[in-house]
Amino acid sequence: MKKVLISLLALAILGSIAAYTIYNSESAMLKIYGWLYDDCVSQETHLYISKHSNYEEVTAQIHKAINQDKGFDKCAEYVDLSSSFRKGHYILRKGMNVSDIVRMLRSGSQTPVNVTINNAKTPALLAKKLEGKIDADSTEIIS
């Protein structure tokens, strides 16, 4: 009888430890899920990444626009965004989550920039006018 009681007590202790561990791991998983899939952009923001931008400058711009800094950093580290982000103009729309932002930067899903040019009679004049509007110099534009 004594052995049965000790066995039941040990089983109850192991069961409570297992329940506590499962509860904590589920809450950690829910926190990670929230970091990735909860809305993190409260207002529309334009993000410009030039060919001279480094990863720290890009993340600083993104951290200003979102409220899930830790989740963004973890997700970006997981997909190695530091070596795969692309230059361009991106719009962080209200309601986007961290996963959407990282996917957009990694795939290069940019928003077009509209440029209006008047009175460019030669390709050289056109290149000179475009040089200040877009992230390219006149030799890249002409060629």
Side-chain angles (χ1 to χ4, degrees):
M1 185 68 172
K2 197 174 187 181
K3 288 183 180 181
V4 172
L5 287 175
I6 291 173
S7 298
L8 287 175
L9 182 62
L11 189 61
I13 290 172
L14 287 174
S16 63
I17 290 172
Y20 177 77
T21 305
I22 290 171
Y23 173 77
N24 282 340
S25 66
E26 282 183 8
S27 66
M29 288 173 65
L30 288 174
K31 184 185 278 188
I32 291 170
Y33 183 84
W35 283 347
L36 292 177
Y37 299 108
D38 284 349
D39 295 349
C40 69
V41 180
S42 57
Q43 65 181 5
E44 189 172 286
T45 307
H46 292 262
L47 177 67
Y48 294 96
I49 302 174
S50 74
K51 62 183 172 185
H52 304 293
S53 296
N54 62 25
Y55 181 68
E56 288 77 25
E57 294 170 346
V58 172
T59 55
Q61 283 184 330
I62 292 170
H63 286 177
K64 291 177 188 174
I66 66 173
N67 58 14
Q68 291 285 352
D69 296 350
K70 191 172 184 180
F72 175 79
D73 291 339
K74 291 286 184 189
C75 187
E77 178 184 338
Y78 180 74
V79 299
D80 194 25
L81 187 64
S82 63
S83 64
S84 61
F85 71 93
R86 300 190 182 168
K87 67 179 182 170
H89 170 237
Y90 300 92
I91 295 179
L92 305 180
R93 291 188 168 74
K94 183 178 180 178
M96 288 180 83
N97 58 43
V98 167
S99 181
D100 293 336
I101 295 169
V102 169
R103 193 177 308 118
M104 179 178 64
L105 292 173
R106 192 162 180 227
S107 68
S109 301
Q110 304 164 13
T111 306
V113 177
N114 296 326
V115 179
T116 304
I117 301 164
N118 297 325
N119 302 330
K121 296 179 180 183
T122 64
L125 285 174
L126 175 64
K128 186 176 179 183
K129 289 188 177 202
L130 279 176
E131 188 174 20
K133 306 281 186 198
I134 61 174
D135 192 23
D137 62 5
S138 57
T139 56
E140 290 176 344
I141 295 169
I142 290 175
S143 58

